[in-house]
Amino acid sequence: RCISRMDHHCPWMNNCVGAGNLKHFLLFLIYTWTCSVFCLTLLAWNYFFCADDGCIFQIVLLQLVRIMSILSIGTFLFTSSMLMNVIYGILTGVGTIDRLKKKANNTLNESDEEPIPLTNVFGIGPKWTWCLPIDPVFHDYDVVMGYSTPQRLLREQMRDTSHNVKGGGSPSIVGSTVTRDSYGMPV
């Protein structure tokens, strides 16, 4: 696996879904599900509850409404299935690929994985940010990803060294600048 906590490869996102983008995938499904429900409601309201004389559909418009209804129903069913799959994975801690492998080997009941905490999906930001498509900030990036980067290990080593310096001050490194990514990790 090249993706931390890989769940599956998504052809719609053209990317693997894992620890780093599970929030974005889940929001993508929720947004798509919401749009399909809205579309179905709008079509049903205009098609079935139109009692006005001006609501006579021409044959072309009638066919378009039927096609859109079929597409919306298909999208609704597919995204409902995917949402249930992702929520099951979060609640059980078993990703899609792992679940399928365990099911094939009849070892699904022997799973010892823990549920994924919601803060490992949505981050530690305020709960109102959970529904926004922004990158989550994690309390401990290494725990969420399941690995440590050499830059983080070096930073922790430098921090530990600075605590051991007499006087509690941090050692100064003259002329050095550290570029950091959006998670505060040195690059």
Side-chain angles (χ1 to χ4, degrees):
R1 291 183 177 177
C2 59
I3 302 297
S4 177
R5 235 180 43 223
M6 180 179 166
D7 187 71
H8 67 283
H9 180 82
C10 177
W12 312 113
M13 291 179 66
N14 193 26
N15 205 351
C16 290
V17 176
N21 62 356
L22 184 58
K23 174 187 176 181
H24 298 290
F25 181 69
L26 188 58
L27 289 178
F28 170 72
L29 289 176
I30 291 170
Y31 297 159
T32 306
W33 186 87
T34 304
C35 286
S36 66
V37 168
F38 176 73
C39 185
L40 277 173
T41 305
L42 193 62
L43 289 170
W45 184 265
N46 286 321
Y47 187 72
F48 294 112
F49 299 115
C50 186
D52 191 278
D53 288 337
C55 290
I56 299 172
F57 289 102
Q58 296 173 355
I59 191 70
V60 173
L61 188 59
L62 184 63
Q63 297 304 324
L64 287 175
V65 167
R66 289 178 181 163
I67 290 170
M68 282 304 297
S69 297
I70 291 170
L71 288 174
S72 296
I73 289 170
T75 304
F76 171 76
L77 293 174
F78 179 74
T79 53
S80 296
S81 170
M82 289 301 296
L83 268 172
M84 288 187 281
N85 188 33
V86 170
I87 291 171
Y88 178 82
I90 291 171
L91 293 176
T92 61
V94 180
T96 304
I97 294 174
D98 293 333
R99 184 171 42 86
L100 292 173
K101 285 180 181 178
K102 289 178 185 225
K103 190 174 181 181
N105 296 331
N106 290 326
T107 59
L108 190 57
N109 295 332
E110 300 170 11
S111 295
D112 59 348
E113 287 86 355
E114 295 289 323
I116 300 171
L118 291 179
T119 54
N120 287 2
V121 176
F122 296 104
I124 59 171
K127 289 191 176 27
W128 64 268
T129 63
W130 286 12
C131 63
L132 300 176
I134 55 176
D135 287 335
V137 176
F138 302 117
H139 178 68
D140 190 350
Y141 187 80
D142 292 349
V143 169
V144 174
M145 293 299 145
Y147 64 88
S148 293
T149 60
Q151 293 89 356
R152 170 130 182 181
L153 294 174
L154 179 63
R155 185 177 75 234
E156 287 179 359
Q157 183 182 18
M158 289 174 59
R159 184 191 67 212
D160 292 343
T161 304
S162 70
H163 288 301
N164 295 334
V165 173
K166 196 168 193 168
S170 62
S172 64
I173 301 172
V174 179
S176 69
T177 58
V178 178
T179 306
R180 299 189 180 273
D181 64 7
S182 63
Y183 299 106
M185 304 284 291
V187 179

